[in-house]
Amino acid sequence: KLCEEITNHQPQASTRNILISDNVGSGKSSFLNSVLSELRREELNGRVQNIQAVRPGEETSVTQRLKCHTFNDKIKIFDTAGFELEKTVNATIILKKIDGEVAEDIKFDDILKSKSSMEGDKIHCVVLVLSLHNAENLALIQFYEEFIGMLTEAGVPCQLLVTFDKLVEKTEDLKDLYKRRDIKKKIEMLAKEMRISMCNILVVSNYLEERETNQIKGTLLLEAFAQILMAAKFFQERM
């Protein structure tokens, strides 16, 4: 039912544009792999696809261009390089991209060098990904809080996607995800420290070692993606 809802999603304009970014290694690429695998389940015969943005053993993103993943010509997902706390380049790129000043498939370095405006797609929702393992990284939490504040000032909806890929031993345990007090406590802490509403925080478990999709993880992933689209829809209708 969720797949059908997303597949039949009708944007007000030509497309609904989502921009996704994270701290390096937080699970952004895994989320893209997982969601796109669900949305293309029939095409991929239930297998998990792979979009590799970080080489094994590396701590920095190797994504050099602003990538765009299109589903069914209605939804565009723009994939940025992961944040590195000592650099502010990603924040600058995202803020430019929000207003449609950056075209897809352009090198990030060229965005900063160029003084002329580059026409691109305006963004209707920004998704920031955070691993629950980094929930106690104070410098990272402060960075996210400041950046969420910038997005709020820009008037663009922001969804915080929290991944907890290694905290569940069995997939079946995900059925009771929202009843777990430890998860709820950490999400409440993040909402308070980042000054973001609980209803704008999504929790998922990505496909990592799995080769095939499954209904339990898939439902959580598609529920999160459907909420992201709904946030973009409300913003797009006000534009």
Side-chain angles (χ1 to χ4, degrees), residues 11-185:
Q12 185 176 7
S14 57
T15 60
R16 193 142 284 158
N17 304 317
I18 313 296
L19 188 142
I20 184 168
S21 192
D22 70 340
N23 172 248
V24 176
S26 289
K28 175 198 65 176
S29 295
S30 295
F31 177 68
L32 285 174
N33 290 342
S34 301
V35 169
L36 293 174
S37 295
E38 286 292 338
L39 295 177
R40 295 170 175 162
R41 182 184 300 205
E42 292 186 8
E43 177 187 341
L44 298 170
N45 295 319
R47 295 185 178 87
V48 177
Q49 71 172 30
N50 181 37
I51 305 170
Q52 188 173 4
V54 180
R55 296 191 184 101
E58 289 199 356
E59 297 181 354
T60 57
S61 173
V62 297
T63 304
Q64 300 297 319
R65 293 177 179 270
L66 183 66
K67 295 182 179 179
C68 178
H69 309 283
T70 303
F71 173 71
N72 211 20
D73 296 326
K74 300 174 184 177
I75 303 166
K76 287 184 177 181
I77 307 173
F78 292 89
D79 181 7
T80 70
F83 286 119
E84 296 177 54
L85 290 183
E86 67 275 11
K87 299 179 181 178
T88 60
V89 56
N90 306 82
T92 302
I93 290 169
I94 289 179
L95 290 173
K96 283 178 173 287
K97 177 60 191 169
I98 285 171
D99 289 329
E101 295 182 19
V102 180
E104 63 185 82
D105 200 40
I106 189 167
K107 287 185 177 181
F108 296 127
D109 289 344
D110 292 342
I111 294 173
L112 300 178
K113 293 175 183 177
S114 176
K115 295 182 180 180
S116 60
S117 178
M118 295 166 281
E119 186 176 355
D121 298 278
K122 288 192 175 183
I123 297 300
H124 305 126
C125 182
V126 174
V127 180
L128 298 179
V129 184
L130 176 72
S131 170
L132 205 56
H133 292 282
N134 292 327
E136 297 180 3
N137 184 331
L138 297 181
L140 181 61
I141 298 304
Q142 183 180 358
F143 179 86
Y144 272 54
E145 187 271 328
E146 291 175 354
F147 193 67
I148 290 172
M150 286 189 277
L151 293 172
T152 301
E153 282 190 21
V156 178
C158 175
Q159 301 283 298
L160 179 66
L161 184 78
V162 179
T163 63
F164 63 110
D165 300 330
K166 299 178 182 179
L167 297 182
V168 176
E169 294 182 2
K170 297 183 297 182
T171 301
E172 288 74 15
D173 294 339
L174 293 172
K175 290 181 178 180
D176 297 321
L177 171 66
Y178 291 101
K179 296 181 181 179
R180 288 185 54 164
R181 293 184 179 180
D182 56 336
I183 299 292
K184 184 174 183 290
K185 185 177 179 181

Side-chain angles (χ1 to χ4, degrees), residues 3-14:
C3 270
E4 183 179 352
E5 176 185 332
I6 294 171
T7 301
N8 296 328
H9 186 75
Q10 294 293 338
Q12 185 176 7
S14 57

